[in-house]
Amino acid sequence: MSGHDPLLVYGANGYTGRLIVKEAVRLGLRPVLSGRNAGEVNALAAEHGLEARPCGLDDPGALDAALAGCTVVLHCAGPFSSTARAMADACLRNRAHYLDITGEISVFEGMAARGKEAEAAGVMLMPGVGFDVVPSDCLAAHLKRRLPSATWLTLAFNGGVGLSRGTATTMVQNIGQGGAVRRNGKITRVPAAWRSREIAFGDKPRLSVTIPWGDVSTAWHSTRIPNIEVYTATSKGTIRGMILSRYIGWLLETAPVQRFLLGRIRAGKPGPSDGQRERAQAHLWGEAWDAEGNRVAARLRTPDGYTLTAITAVAAARKVLAGAAQPGFRTPSLAFGADFILEVAGAERHDLPASGS
């Protein structure tokens, strides 16, 4: 049996999991690969000369065996609202640090609630080490650093080349839940497409709409700014569809409609092609302000979201393998600082002039 690093990649055979494995191998890592589909996991491991330990998340004994000798788990099998708890339980049992690539508010909040438990076990729980939420979390922390008195935070992103099956599946399963913002420190449910506005990402102003992105959770833990909204650039047609979902959300969540939508996803491509990803970039923008009217803003440009997820997830895993773990719940910026994103080749951050008193 070939030697391996004490890193387990679970869900390695998924679209994003494969990108992560490729990046890890490129950097000289030899992770153990795992996932539910034994045939695909074994084939992927053979392709890269790695060890395979396929297992399901519903078998704690098999999961413990898969984690044997591993001190870091990079969990890539979503929807994480269905899978994160079982893997986090296994990590706590086996004293392995937990990383994942979720963007789901419920998962972030669930992990945050287990912070004390993780501290007691000497384990770090760090969800969201991909495009959700590394660039936006680092941007939030940077804005807080520039304006420590900030009480309001707006984040926004633009860019993308289509969705992977996993991302689309998560969106369909959450389709009737509406939106979310943070108000006075509390996550508050709001209607889908609650607010829309023009945002200047650096190329041109783009119509953008509020979405229940992970930073509604994580930016609070990173900065303690009590009022947070997250926007994404989109089209008028998409906003109309989001507004319609306010009224037919109950229908979209019924079993027959879910089966139809998920069937359409499974019949499609796994995700964007390498060429599509290489040509794409993501643009982020953030603004923070305080009660006195002082404002700071910044823009951030990164590689495409899926490419970035592979880069930052592996970078985070390498840091933890090197001893940079802090037991308890951590966001990327809490663990590695606001400038973690600038370690990515092609990532550029530009501060906009501050204003106010």
Side-chain angles (χ1 to χ4, degrees):
M1 186 177 292
S2 60
H4 62 77
D5 289 309
L7 168 66
L8 180 88
V9 178
Y10 189 90
N13 55 304
Y15 174 79
T16 308
R18 288 173 185 271
L19 297 179
I20 284 170
V21 171
K22 191 173 179 181
E23 172 71 0
V25 169
R26 184 183 75 81
L27 293 173
L29 291 176
R30 299 190 56 75
V32 177
L33 307 189
S34 188
R36 192 180 53 182
N37 188 318
E40 291 187 5
V41 171
N42 287 330
L44 183 65
E47 179 186 331
H48 291 288
L50 301 172
E51 183 178 344
R53 299 179 187 173
C55 68
L57 291 168
D58 54 353
D59 185 341
L63 207 44
D64 289 347
L67 265 65
C70 294
T71 56
V72 180
V73 171
L74 184 45
H75 180 43
C76 308
F80 294 90
S81 54
S82 304
T83 67
R85 173 170 281 278
M87 183 55 86
D89 287 347
C91 286
L92 291 167
R93 284 196 306 273
N94 292 277
R95 301 291 195 270
H97 301 297
Y98 172 98
L99 286 65
D100 75 24
I101 54 170
T102 192
E104 296 166 75
I105 290 173
S106 63
V107 177
F108 289 119
E109 289 298 294
M111 293 292 172
R114 303 185 76 174
K116 291 279 193 291
E117 182 186 355
E119 272 181 50
V123 167
M124 182 167 73
L125 300 176
M126 186 166 59
V129 297
F131 185 72
D132 315 12
V133 290
V134 170
S136 44
D137 186 55
C138 288
L139 189 57
H142 174 65
L143 292 168
K144 170 71 172 184
R145 183 169 63 187
R146 288 183 66 201
L147 185 65
S149 57
T151 51
W152 291 82
L153 173 68
T154 299
L155 297 166
F157 63 94
N158 172 52
V161 286
L163 304 175
S164 72
R165 286 176 186 151
T167 305
T169 296
T170 298
M171 290 174 69
V172 163
Q173 292 183 342
N174 293 322
I175 204 165
Q177 291 186 12
V181 298
R182 196 175 277 273
R183 282 291 174 270
N184 302 316
K186 303 288 186 202
I187 293 176
T188 304
R189 284 285 163 191
V190 294
W194 181 57
R195 281 185 174 166
S196 58
R197 55 174 286 185
E198 295 275 325
I199 290 178
F201 287 95
D203 48 0
K204 63 178 182 179
R206 295 181 182 274
L207 179 64
S208 304
V209 66
T210 48
I211 56 167
W213 198 245
D215 298 274
V216 172
S217 168
T218 51
W220 157 252
H221 295 289
S222 297
T223 68
R224 285 298 191 247
I225 295 174
N227 301 288
I228 301 166
E229 296 173 10
V230 185
Y231 289 75
T232 187
T234 190
S235 66
K236 288 180 180 177
T238 298
I239 292 176
R240 283 195 295 269
M242 291 169 72
I243 292 171
L244 180 62
S245 77
R246 298 176 188 176
Y247 308 102
I248 63 168
W250 62 272
L251 176 64
L252 297 173
E253 289 189 313
T254 60
V257 174
Q258 286 276 307
R259 275 197 301 273
F260 169 75
L261 293 172
L262 294 172
R264 290 283 300 273
I265 291 166
R266 281 191 292 272
K269 292 179 181 175
S273 69
D274 288 351
Q276 286 175 313
R277 287 188 298 102
E278 284 163 13
R279 289 190 297 272
Q281 290 182 323
H283 296 263
L284 295 95
W285 170 91
E287 182 179 49
W289 65 99
D290 65 14
E292 282 71 51
N294 300 299
R295 287 180 181 262
V296 292
R299 295 188 183 116
L300 176 65
R301 186 177 70 204
T302 74
D304 154 71
Y306 287 105
T307 303
L308 187 75
T309 292
I311 294 169
T312 56
V314 173
R318 291 179 81 196
K319 286 178 182 289
V320 179
L321 286 167
Q326 303 161 25
F329 170 77
R330 294 289 183 270
T331 64
S333 72
L334 284 177
F336 307 135
D339 297 333
F340 173 43
I341 187 62
L342 299 184
E343 296 174 23
V344 174
E348 294 180 7
R349 187 179 65 210
H350 298 284
D351 287 344
L352 302 171
S355 63
S357 56

